[in-house]
Structures are given as structure tokens and as C-alpha cells.
Amino acid sequence: MAGRNGRTVRDLRRGNRTAVLHRLYFDGPLSRFELGPATGLSSGSVSNVVADLIADGLVEEAGSVDSDGGRPRTLLRVAPHSGQMIGVDVGETRVRVELFDLALTELARADRPLTRPGYDVDDITGHIRVGVAEVLAAEGARPERLLGVGVGVPGIVEHTADRGAVVHGQTIGWDAVPLERLLRETSGLPESVPYFIDNGAKTLGQAEMWFGAGRGARNALVVLFGSGVGACLVTPEVEHGRAVEWGHLTVRVRGRRCRCGAPGCLEAYAGAESLLARWREEGGRPPEGTDEETALTAMLAAAYPAGDTEPDPVALAVLEETAEYLGAGLSDLINLFQPERILIGGWAGLQLGTRFLPAVRHHAATYALRYPADQVTIELGRLGPDAVTVGAAILPLADFFGRGGRRAEPAPEDRPPAWRAALDERTPR
């Protein structure tokens, strides 16, 4: 039966369960008494919801706390072992697969190096399939217990009713790749296990907003600085986050050719791939036969040597120019979106780390309008190299909470709205 606002009793129950799960997850352990004001539910509703969640094995007791003059109050928390999620990061040098419990504690991981250049679709789906099998076997986990598999990928992700998630990755040579369908055909997981696929910068942003340096912010931009660059925008209007193709903003007319094919993109100057190429073009000597992470480490060591060794002037000049391009690129984001925080993550961003940050801040302030520049802080992300994987695992977790702790329904067209709506509750209060 539907009420005047169109919501059924089932909808109300699901909403109450979702509210309790969210508050216990972000602010718990909490007592039943504390859950009332935290969720806006009556004491009777809290008692009923908690009883249901305990009966379902989703909530458990976690000690007690003294009350004012009365009996001790029992504390409650979300039961960590009541479900599992898999997060996948399709990165530039490897595919990382991690198995998590409901508290996002890592249970197992598998790293699958990308030994061949490029992003061959069969290679990527094969790495994901083998990585999923490895982490499940390592933990002795049953696939039926999975709440879902989240995957962070480069490119624009389109969610369709007939083909599931389709990836448009111009820079990696993917033209409308039906990744969700391919994974389902090859993974061997039960049909009941859903896939949640989204842009890697967006999953990085989701992790930082839930658990990292973005926690509590209303307006934030999370930047993924790796082989290329991307960003995720989070505002009250787009609380589930929006991937921004920031790397393909034009910073120089008739400039260097970007890997997307266009001239003058930010990524052609600020991504790690272009940074190393520019070092080589200026006479630098990146180590041969190594991946980008190793080569960037060598470049940093050359530009900022230990002891009394003279720095490599070419490496230093390229890095300093890259910091200016990044700062100028951030100034565009500051002027356009006026965020409270900008967080820099990704393997290259973390590798350059604090040595790079003061120069980036200086250039961002120089190129941006004074007022929005004065309001923003620019920091490194806090979740390290696993942030994309953690953010990918959040996607099935958010869907699970959005359903009030119920398993996903099999209809694929129902999934995107459910998990996207659930992400609107991302910021702990």
C-alpha cells in the first residue's frame, strides 16, 4: 500500500534500515538511545529496526557504556563479517584485486602486472577473472557471500539497460567496450553477484570522501595523478560524485599531442607518461626496460639527489614545469567549482608527494581568482595506493546499504539508480 507521497510500507522499512546502518557504520558503535536522534527515528522504530538487523546478522553487540543513573546501554555496530565485497583497480601498470569484509578491512589481494603495452580488453578481463579467483581462494570465501564486485577503470562509463556498464576509453583504445557483460560472461561468479563499474578517478574520490582527507567536506575535488590525470567533483548537487575529464582540458593551443589525439591537453604535460617523455626529449635518460613507476622514481632521485650530489638540471626543470602545469590546471577547477578542498592521489601524485605540493599550491594560487583560491586547501589524499580499489569496493557496499541491507535484485537495469542514490549519504555527519 502506498501513502500520499507514493512510498510504500516496504519503502519506509528499507529507508529506516538504511538510516540505522549508515549511522552505525560511520559513527558507531552507538546505543539504541543514541540512534534515535542520529537517525530521526522514534525509539520504537529504532528498536524494531535493530531487532530486524540483528536477526539478519547485520548488526551485533559491541560492549556497553554507562548511562546516567540507569542500566548500562548496549552498544551496537555493523557486523564486519556479515558480507564481503571485491574492489578492482584497472591501473596503468597492473590490475589490482582486493577482497574486503563489510568494515572494508582487506582480507586478500592479487596484483596482476600488465606485461604487454596497451589495454587489450581480453587481457584486462582475464586479469580480473584470475584475480577474483585468487582472492576468493586465498580467503576460502564463498562467491555467494559477495555483495558485489566494484571496478574502477580509465575513461567514461555509460550505464545501459541492455549491456550494463559500457566503457568509452579514448586514451586507452576502448570504444564502447561492454565491460560488465564481458566480465559476467567470463568470471564464473554466480549470476546473483552484481558488478558496479565506474571511472577510477571517481572511485578514488569516493574512498577519500568516505574515509580519507575529504571526510566531512561538502565541496571537494579529488585528483587522480597517474600515467594521465583525471578528477572527481563532489558537491551538494552531485553528492555521488562526477568524473571530470580534467586531463583533456586544453592548456596550450597547438601544443603537444595528447594520447587522446588532441593537441595541447593538460595530460600531455602533467601526466607521468608525458613527464617522462619530456625528460627524454630534453636529453634525460630514464632507465630502459622499466615501468613508469620505476622510471619516475629514478627521475625524482636525479632531480633531488641525496647528499652533496648535484641535481640533474633537466629532470629538475621538467618537474618544476610540470608543477606549474598542474597548478594552472587546478586553478581552472578552483575558478569553475570553488571547492573547499582539492585532494591529490594516484600513484604518481603520491610518489611526487610533499616535495611537489608547495610548488603546485603556489602556482594554483597564482593562476586562480583570489577569493576562491583563498577558500581552498590543497592536500594529498590519505588512503595511499589502494584508494581506487577501496572506492570500487564502496560501490557494492553503498548499494547494499541503499537497499536496507538486502541483497541486490537480479534485474540489471535497477542497479545503477540504487547504488547512485545510496552514495548521496556518503558524508558522515
Side-chain angles (χ1 to χ4, degrees):
M1 178 178 177
R4 292 182 180 178
N5 60 2
R7 298 187 71 193
T8 66
V9 173
R10 183 181 178 185
D11 293 334
L12 292 171
R13 287 175 178 167
R14 182 173 62 240
N16 291 349
R17 285 168 62 101
T18 295
V20 170
L21 285 170
H22 269 120
R23 294 281 59 83
L24 286 179
Y25 195 76
F26 289 118
D27 302 328
L30 296 171
S31 67
R32 290 172 178 81
F33 179 80
E34 293 169 312
L35 277 170
T39 60
L41 300 177
S42 68
S43 59
S45 294
V46 167
S47 295
N48 290 335
V49 170
V50 167
D52 286 345
L53 293 172
I54 290 176
D56 290 344
L58 296 177
V59 168
E60 63 185 15
E61 294 184 358
S64 62
V65 63
D66 291 338
S67 61
D68 297 332
R71 293 184 302 172
R73 295 189 180 121
T74 301
L75 295 175
L76 304 165
R77 68 174 183 179
V78 174
H81 304 297
S82 56
Q84 295 176 341
M85 303 83 64
I86 286 177
V88 180
D89 174 11
V90 178
E92 285 126 352
T93 60
R94 46 101 183 104
V95 173
R96 173 165 291 170
V97 181
E98 295 185 63
L99 177 69
F100 299 92
D101 67 13
L102 218 61
L104 282 172
T105 301
E106 180 191 308
L107 303 177
R109 81 161 56 193
D111 279 329
R112 308 285 303 173
L114 299 180
T115 54
R116 293 197 292 173
Y119 284 80
D120 181 83
V121 175
D122 291 338
D123 282 354
I124 297 298
T125 55
H127 284 314
I128 295 174
R129 179 183 69 251
V130 174
V132 167
E134 286 180 1
V135 297
L136 290 174
E139 188 63 17
R142 300 195 312 274
E144 295 79 10
R145 294 195 63 220
L146 288 175
L147 304 180
V149 178
V151 186
V153 295
I156 299 169
V157 180
E158 175 191 11
H159 296 278
T160 69
D162 55 342
R163 295 189 295 167
V166 175
V167 182
H168 304 273
Q170 188 169 326
T171 60
I172 62 173
W174 284 16
D175 182 14
V177 171
L179 186 60
E180 182 175 354
R181 190 188 73 196
L182 294 175
L183 289 176
R184 187 161 296 288
E185 289 172 352
T186 61
S187 70
L189 292 176
E191 189 68 25
S192 59
V193 178
Y195 285 88
F196 305 86
I197 300 171
D198 219 322
N199 175 270
K202 186 172 171 182
T203 66
L204 168 70
Q206 193 61 58
E208 289 289 350
M209 295 306 292
W210 273 36
F211 301 111
R215 186 178 168 102
R218 284 171 50 81
N219 303 278
L221 279 153
V222 185
V223 171
L224 193 158
F225 178 21
S227 183
V229 291
C232 172
L233 168 69
V234 182
T235 71
E237 292 76 30
V238 285
E239 287 190 286
H240 50 265
R242 175 185 296 154
V244 179
E245 290 296 333
W246 174 56
H248 304 289
L249 184 127
T250 302
V251 294
R252 180 176 288 184
V253 176
R254 294 185 294 275
R256 288 174 57 88
R257 185 72 58 179
C258 178
R259 58 182 181 171
C260 76
C265 292
L266 174 64
E267 189 167 291
Y269 296 91
E273 179 181 296
S274 63
L275 193 160
L276 293 166
R278 284 163 46 228
W279 184 31
R280 188 180 297 107
E281 290 164 8
E282 295 295 326
R285 297 180 180 177
E288 299 294 333
T290 60
D291 60 27
E292 286 182 357
E293 294 187 40
T294 304
L296 185 58
T297 299
M299 185 178 187
L300 280 168
Y304 307 104
D308 297 328
T309 306
E310 288 294 318
D312 176 344
V314 175
L316 185 59
V318 171
L319 283 168
E320 288 177 345
E321 185 183 43
T322 300
E324 184 166 4
Y325 273 113
L326 274 173
L330 291 180
S331 75
D332 289 327
L333 297 179
I334 292 169
N335 290 343
L336 284 169
F337 302 115
Q338 301 181 27
E340 293 173 42
R341 301 178 201 175
I342 294 177
L343 310 174
I344 299 175
W347 65 265
L350 296 172
Q351 202 162 333
L352 293 168
T354 53
R355 186 178 292 279
F356 218 48
L357 205 55
V360 170
R361 287 186 183 126
H362 168 75
H363 292 303
T366 298
Y367 286 100
L369 293 170
R370 188 181 305 114
Y371 178 77
D374 287 344
Q375 310 307 309
V376 69
T377 59
I378 303 174
E379 305 289 345
L380 292 177
R382 294 179 186 167
L383 298 181
D386 290 339
V388 173
T389 322
V390 172
I394 285 174
L395 300 180
L397 178 63
D399 177 81
F400 183 64
F401 282 171
R403 297 178 184 278
R406 307 290 190 191
R407 296 276 174 165
E409 297 161 12
E413 64 270 18
D414 185 45
R415 287 204 300 273
W419 67 264
R420 286 183 179 278
L423 292 179
D424 287 348
E425 294 294 327
R426 85 206 186 309
T427 305
R429 290 192 282 264

